[in-house]
Amino acid sequence: MNAINFAELKALQSQPTPKTSCANCSMHALCLPMGLEPSDVEKLDQVIGRRRRVKRDEFLYKRNDPFRNLYAIRFGHVKTYHVNAAGDAQITGFQMAGDLLGMDAISGAHHCDAVALEDSEVCEIPFARLEGLFSEVPALLRHFHRTMSQEIMREQNVMLLLGNMRAEQRFAVFLVNLASRYAMRGYASTCLQLRMSREEIGNYLGLTIESISRLLSRFKSLGLLQVDKREIRLLDLAQLKSLAAGMDSSN
Amino acid sequence: MNAINFAELKALQSQPTPKTSCANCSMHALCLPMGLEPSDVEKLDQVIGRRRRVKRDEFLYKRNDPFRNLYAIRFGHVKTYHVNAAGDAQITGFQMAGDLLGMDAISGAHHCDAVALEDSEVCEIPFARLEGLFSEVPALLRHFHRTMSQEIMREQNVMLLLGNMRAEQRFAVFLVNLASRYAMRGYASTCLQLRMSREEIGNYLGLTIESISRLLSRFKSLGLLQVDKREIRLLDLAQLKSLAAGMDSSN
DNA sequence: CGGGCCTTTGAACACGTTCAACCCATGTGG
DNA sequence: CCACATGGGTTGAACGTGTTCAAAGGCCCG
């Protein structure tokens, strides 16, 4: 796979900062405008609100905020999480550039919190205006439905992970999945710069921080990866994939 | 809450079998036509395909079936589940009358299996025709988006359940949730006729059949419920709710 | 150099699983 | 009619995975 780094590409070909628009956003091939005609992309651009910077640890939205916008990440990383009555959190997803957030809130208000894992920038997409565009641009509506559908699939996969995988397999799935998402975005997929802490990974995977630490040590000693703080170099992706698929493990 | 049994009501008021349509379906207040004008309900009726009977243990759809239809349950119960590479299943949901199935497949093909838990009947909703109706009936599109959004929320709640609840709390959540869904449908909410086996409950909750059995015994001995095979009578809903919320448990 | 934060590692523990036996209701064949 | 098999459910005992608790290490920034 010829890994092209879209972000670098963009930086190379355009010294003068381009107008912020979908057409020249490095994520247009993954994000909402995916597959649209240029004229339709322009209409989408009209609809999209301001670009918004979110600093590390700042909220993108909070539980019970009224639903007004969807958010598309331009760059950076975000986590979404639920807090239960007892006060402990469950992280429901890590989102990166090109991902769409907030679809769980369409029925009324936001039911989870969204916080930036690093300084990030998002496109605010006023949902009322987007709805107005749906009748005009059927391809956009179709793509929107596919996106929601994929979000449902993603969550079902997490249910699978939490419901019947052991710790080792969960962590392998996490790593392989992260690698493939970076690959789709043209980033090096064997050298992950984790944006989240061990604790956040553990929370997402239904494990403790200690378990994550032990798994990293085990995988390291098995020669599957190298660890240096939050940089993880995947050395044996094939083996990791077979662990993620539930094969062998201890033979 | 004045529990009206819609199914019985319908049976009483119409000895001659009425034409099968959304307008006189007992689930119209919960299902796709929810909140639509009568004229729009009629349009929806035009779009909906045949009603289809599914016997107990028969497939409604299978993994890799091409996506053509959504399904609304008229009566009966269905389970959806994923099968992983190793061959074991994870049940991702139990659906009942008024529920909509198949939204995870919009992006292409079905990714899970759907099987009837008892003899059931569903409305086949050809998605292409439904899409055609969206531009004509904006209220339908809005409701469809809310429905997908709610499905995302439901799955996030399962992630919460599987990710950071102990067995006791999981099972309490399961019972309370089931009771509330029956209540919404006008059925007695304190006397549950389970349509699924202990094994299926356990699978859904990430537990074993033995754990479910033990939990039932424990709850019984605590005076929270009575059990007779698959009939469960909830005796202390308040206490069950507080267990489900993560309160006390052992004091 | 000190303090704070994140991480790693070790040891004891606990929750839920696994394995096994048994119960009970239902259905089937001799 | 009984004998027997089958499938779902319950209960007990031993086990194991991952947690909890605790201590120590590494790193950053003041």
Side-chain angles (χ1 to χ4, degrees):
Chain A
M1 180 171 297
N2 192 348
I4 300 165
N5 182 320
F6 284 112
E8 282 174 14
L9 223 162
K10 179 189 153 202
L12 282 173
Q13 70 196 14
S14 57
Q15 265 75 350
T17 321
K19 177 184 163 300
T20 307
S21 74
C22 286
N24 56 32
C25 174
S26 62
M27 283 301 136
H28 74 273
L30 277 172
C31 190
L32 262 189
M34 173 177 147
L36 293 189
E37 301 292 328
S39 63
D40 289 337
V41 174
E42 208 168 314
K43 288 180 191 164
L44 180 58
D45 253 326
Q46 307 293 324
V47 156
I48 290 181
R50 63 194 172 107
R51 272 68 183 178
R52 182 175 147 199
R53 294 259 170 172
V54 192
K55 282 208 186 312
R56 200 191 144 153
D57 292 332
E58 269 182 20
F59 284 93
L60 180 53
Y61 52 79
K62 291 189 191 191
R63 181 174 152 77
N64 290 330
D65 281 356
F67 172 64
R68 299 207 201 299
N69 307 300
L70 295 177
Y71 299 92
I73 303 187
R74 279 174 60 79
F75 60 79
H77 285 72
V78 170
K79 68 172 171 181
T80 49
Y81 60 92
H82 281 235
V83 180
N84 64 18
D88 36 36
Q90 169 72 32
I91 294 177
T92 52
F94 297 114
Q95 292 82 13
M96 56 180 71
D99 285 339
L100 198 64
L101 278 88
M103 291 174 288
D104 56 316
I106 291 176
S107 38
H110 287 282
H111 295 271
C112 63
D113 297 309
V115 167
L117 291 172
E118 62 182 336
D119 294 2
S120 306
E121 190 173 305
V122 300
C123 294
E124 236 175 47
I125 307 169
F127 189 65
R129 300 181 67 184
L130 189 66
E131 276 182 308
L133 199 54
F134 283 151
S135 56
E136 228 178 302
V137 187
L140 178 65
L141 180 59
R142 250 177 280 123
H143 183 244
F144 177 63
H145 288 161
R146 271 196 302 273
T147 304
M148 287 198 90
S149 169
Q150 276 161 2
E151 174 65 14
I152 293 176
M153 281 172 45
R154 183 190 73 80
E155 289 179 2
Q156 287 178 358
N157 285 329
V158 177
M159 288 174 64
L160 212 69
L161 181 144
L162 295 172
N164 63 21
M165 292 185 194
R166 325 220 119 274
E168 185 178 73
Q169 189 180 2
R170 292 187 199 185
F171 192 51
V173 166
F174 174 76
L175 291 173
V176 168
N177 176 51
L178 217 51
S180 93
R181 289 166 76 194
Y182 284 128
M184 279 194 293
R185 283 158 179 80
Y187 293 106
S189 65
T190 59
C191 187
L192 311 175
Q193 301 288 343
L194 298 184
R195 304 320 202 282
M196 66 293 282
S197 68
R198 307 277 194 272
E199 180 155 29
E200 287 166 329
I201 297 174
N203 183 299
Y204 179 64
L205 297 178
L207 302 169
T208 59
I209 180 176
E210 292 94 332
S211 292
I212 299 300
S213 191
R214 280 183 245 272
L215 284 164
L216 271 174
S217 302
R218 172 130 48 101
F219 282 4
K220 190 168 59 177
S221 76
L222 288 171
L224 300 180
L225 46 74
Q226 284 174 345
V227 195
D228 178 26
K229 319 183 62 187
R230 289 197 181 180
E231 174 177 314
I232 295 185
R233 191 172 297 273
L234 306 181
L235 298 177
D236 191 346
L237 198 55
Q239 177 66 7
L240 280 170
K241 280 180 178 166
S242 106
L243 282 179
M247 305 305 178
D248 65 77
S249 83
S250 53
N251 24 320
Chain B
M1 179 172 297
N2 192 348
I4 300 164
N5 183 319
F6 285 112
E8 282 173 15
L9 222 164
K10 179 189 154 205
L12 282 174
Q13 71 195 14
S14 57
Q15 265 75 347
T17 322
K19 177 182 163 301
T20 307
S21 74
C22 286
N24 56 33
C25 174
S26 62
M27 284 301 137
H28 75 273
L30 276 173
C31 190
L32 262 189
M34 172 178 148
L36 293 189
E37 301 293 327
S39 63
D40 290 336
V41 174
E42 208 167 315
K43 288 180 192 165
L44 179 58
D45 252 325
Q46 306 294 325
V47 156
I48 290 181
R50 62 193 174 109
R51 271 68 182 178
R52 182 174 147 200
R53 293 257 169 174
V54 192
K55 282 209 184 313
R56 196 186 151 163
D57 291 331
E58 270 182 17
F59 284 93
L60 180 53
Y61 52 79
K62 291 189 191 191
R63 181 174 152 78
N64 291 330
D65 281 357
F67 172 65
R68 301 207 202 298
N69 307 298
L70 294 176
Y71 299 92
I73 302 186
R74 277 175 61 79
F75 60 79
H77 285 73
V78 170
K79 68 172 170 179
T80 50
Y81 60 93
H82 281 238
V83 181
N84 64 18
D88 36 36
Q90 168 72 32
I91 294 176
T92 51
F94 297 114
Q95 293 81 13
M96 57 180 70
D99 285 338
L100 198 64
L101 278 88
M103 292 175 287
D104 55 319
I106 291 176
S107 39
H110 287 282
H111 294 273
C112 64
D113 296 310
V115 168
L117 290 172
E118 62 181 335
D119 294 0
S120 306
E121 190 172 304
V122 301
C123 294
E124 236 176 47
I125 307 169
F127 189 65
R129 299 181 67 182
L130 189 67
E131 275 182 309
L133 199 54
F134 284 152
S135 57
E136 228 179 301
V137 187
L140 177 65
L141 181 59
R142 250 177 280 123
H143 183 243
F144 177 63
H145 288 162
R146 271 196 302 272
T147 304
M148 288 199 90
S149 169
Q150 277 161 1
E151 174 65 14
I152 293 176
M153 281 172 46
R154 184 190 73 80
E155 290 180 1
Q156 286 178 357
N157 284 330
V158 178
M159 289 174 64
L160 213 70
L161 180 143
L162 295 173
N164 63 22
M165 292 186 193
R166 322 222 122 278
E168 185 178 72
Q169 190 180 2
R170 292 187 199 185
F171 191 51
V173 166
F174 174 77
L175 291 173
V176 169
N177 176 51
L178 216 52
S180 92
R181 289 166 77 196
Y182 283 128
M184 279 194 293
R185 283 157 178 79
Y187 293 106
S189 65
T190 59
C191 187
L192 311 176
Q193 301 288 342
L194 298 185
R195 304 318 202 285
M196 65 292 284
S197 68
R198 308 277 195 272
E199 180 156 30
E200 287 166 329
I201 297 174
N203 183 301
Y204 178 64
L205 297 178
L207 301 169
T208 59
I209 180 177
E210 292 94 334
S211 292
I212 300 300
S213 191
R214 279 183 245 272
L215 283 164
L216 271 173
S217 303
R218 173 129 48 101
F219 282 5
K220 191 168 58 176
S221 76
L222 288 172
L224 300 180
L225 47 74
Q226 285 174 344
V227 195
D228 178 25
K229 316 181 68 187
R230 290 196 179 180
E231 174 176 315
I232 295 185
R233 192 173 296 274
L234 306 181
L235 298 177
D236 190 346
L237 197 55
Q239 177 66 7
L240 281 170
K241 280 182 179 166
S242 106
L243 282 179
M247 305 306 179
D248 65 78
S249 82
S250 53
N251 22 317

